[in-house]
Amino acid sequence: MNDSIHILNNGKHIPKVGLGVYKITEEDMYDSIKSALEAGYRLFDTAFMYDNEKELGQALKDLGVQRDEVFITTKIWNDYQGYDSTLTYFNKSLDNLGMDYVDLILVHWPCEKNGKYIETYKALEHLCGEGKAKSIGVANFKPHHLDKLIEQTEIIPQVNQIECHPYFNQQETQDYCDQNDIAVQAWMPIMRNRGLLDDEVIVELAEKYGKTPAQVVLRWHIEHGRLVIPKSKTKERIEENINIFNFSLEEADIERIDNLNKDIRQGKDPDKISIGDLK
């Protein structure tokens, strides 16, 4: 098996590294996707809330990409939770993308206070049965959210997409997902370069392996079995972020990075997100 491919619990293949397109605008989308395709990316992660599904779909069309050559992820936004609403907005996402299916659809946040993530997920199960979604999953779910979801639904999520980086490694959630064969996909995997890449341990290891700090951090994720979706619109960084399959980290160095954990979130706490938040 190609080291850059992960097999999900339903047998589907997913690239371990994808391009997150959050905040990539129409102005930059074509060039970003072109650079990513040339660098070897085949997974592109968007969401209804990002307001750029249409731009992503158009860029892929303009670049002559065949549908079966790429893996497309999108997400159901908080405001549209509920069975019928999910079906409605999923079809809007398909229209935006100009596609008749997605490879992965996620519940964007649990919104347990006033959300309907169980009903939303059941709608995703229906879409999976119809073939409109090849795989389904969740984002920003903690173990207690997953416990409730698994108890009340039929399909164990294929993916849980969470904030994860060396300063916030989410070990409890990682362990839960490993035990239940749910792939963990890290958003903000290099912490949007908010000081992490200047950490003396990361810098030292980058020098040791002849790689950049970002490559060392992304390889650390891969060594832990995670998938990653670093976001960039810069050609050089796009190329850098996927060039992580020609080296491995020694076990002692993986542990050094593990020990950087500070349990510091950069994003929101999923337990505190309600419908209407995060606009």
Side-chain angles (χ1 to χ4, degrees):
M1 172 57 62
N2 187 333
D3 182 43
S4 66
I5 299 296
H6 177 84
I7 302 177
L8 297 170
N9 64 27
N10 61 353
K12 302 293 185 183
H13 292 188
I14 182 172
K16 292 181 181 178
V17 179
L19 182 72
V21 301
Y22 179 53
K23 291 191 176 180
I24 296 182
T25 63
E26 181 178 8
E27 180 182 9
D28 296 314
M29 186 68 78
Y30 179 91
D31 287 342
S32 297
I33 300 305
K34 183 173 186 291
S35 295
L37 290 166
E38 291 172 349
Y41 289 78
R42 291 299 179 268
L43 187 158
F44 299 94
D45 179 278
T46 186
F48 190 89
M49 189 274 285
Y50 299 171
D51 197 28
N52 61 11
E53 291 172 320
K54 186 173 294 186
E55 289 74 15
L56 172 60
Q58 189 63 49
L60 291 168
K61 181 180 178 180
D62 291 345
L63 287 160
V65 178
Q66 297 299 307
R67 178 64 188 89
D68 61 1
E69 294 177 351
V70 290
F71 188 106
I72 303 298
T73 300
T74 193
K75 311 173 191 77
I76 298 296
W77 183 237
N78 305 345
D79 295 0
Y80 312 126
Q81 285 195 15
Y83 192 93
D84 291 339
S85 183
T86 293
L87 298 180
T88 296
Y89 280 89
F90 174 82
N91 285 323
K92 290 185 179 183
S93 286
L94 286 186
D95 288 343
N96 287 339
L97 290 162
M99 299 174 182
D100 56 12
Y101 71 91
V102 296
D103 297 279
L104 178 64
I105 179 74
L106 306 176
V107 181
H108 208 147
W109 291 84
C111 298
E112 190 163 36
K113 290 181 181 178
N114 55 358
K116 301 176 181 178
Y117 68 83
I118 300 297
E119 292 88 343
T120 300
Y121 192 82
K122 287 181 177 180
L124 301 191
E125 291 180 317
H126 173 77
L127 293 166
C128 189
E130 286 191 325
K132 290 185 176 181
K134 302 301 182 183
S135 299
I136 62 176
V138 296
N140 305 298
F141 274 47
K142 293 182 177 182
H144 69 90
H145 300 125
L146 291 165
D147 274 338
K148 182 177 177 181
L149 182 77
I150 291 171
E151 180 181 340
Q152 299 185 46
T153 58
E154 300 296 324
I155 300 174
I156 292 178
Q158 272 84 59
V159 171
N160 184 17
Q161 187 183 110
I162 59 174
E163 176 186 346
C164 186
H165 45 76
Y167 286 176
F168 187 62
N169 65 25
Q170 296 241 53
Q171 193 61 52
E172 180 184 4
T173 300
Q174 178 75 57
D175 291 343
Y176 182 102
C177 289
D178 287 346
Q179 291 161 12
N180 289 276
D181 198 16
I182 301 169
V184 172
Q185 187 175 56
W187 62 265
M188 205 187 290
I190 54 177
M191 215 176 84
R192 294 183 187 155
N193 196 15
R194 296 173 178 173
L196 173 65
L197 302 185
D198 297 320
D199 187 287
E200 60 182 15
V201 171
I202 302 300
V203 171
E204 178 187 328
L205 293 177
E207 293 173 354
K208 173 180 177 177
Y209 289 97
K211 290 291 184 176
T212 66
Q215 288 171 327
V216 166
V217 173
L218 291 170
R219 185 66 209 186
W220 168 78
H221 284 288
I222 298 299
E223 301 283 6
H224 278 297
R226 282 189 288 276
L227 317 173
V228 292
I229 47 168
K231 178 256 175 177
S232 180
K233 61 182 181 181
T234 305
K235 178 178 174 63
E236 292 74 20
R237 292 201 186 103
I238 287 172
E239 294 171 348
E240 173 187 332
N241 289 342
I242 201 172
N243 185 24
I244 58 173
F245 294 103
N246 57 359
F247 78 111
S248 297
L249 299 174
E250 296 175 7
E251 187 62 37
D253 293 331
I254 295 172
E255 291 180 7
R256 290 184 69 191
I257 301 175
D258 291 346
N259 290 334
L260 294 177
N261 182 55
K262 303 176 181 180
D263 286 330
I264 297 176
R265 287 186 183 274
Q266 300 296 306
K268 300 292 186 180
D269 185 337
D271 284 328
K272 299 178 181 177
I273 297 298
S274 300
I275 298 300
D277 289 346
L278 296 175
K279 283 298 187 184

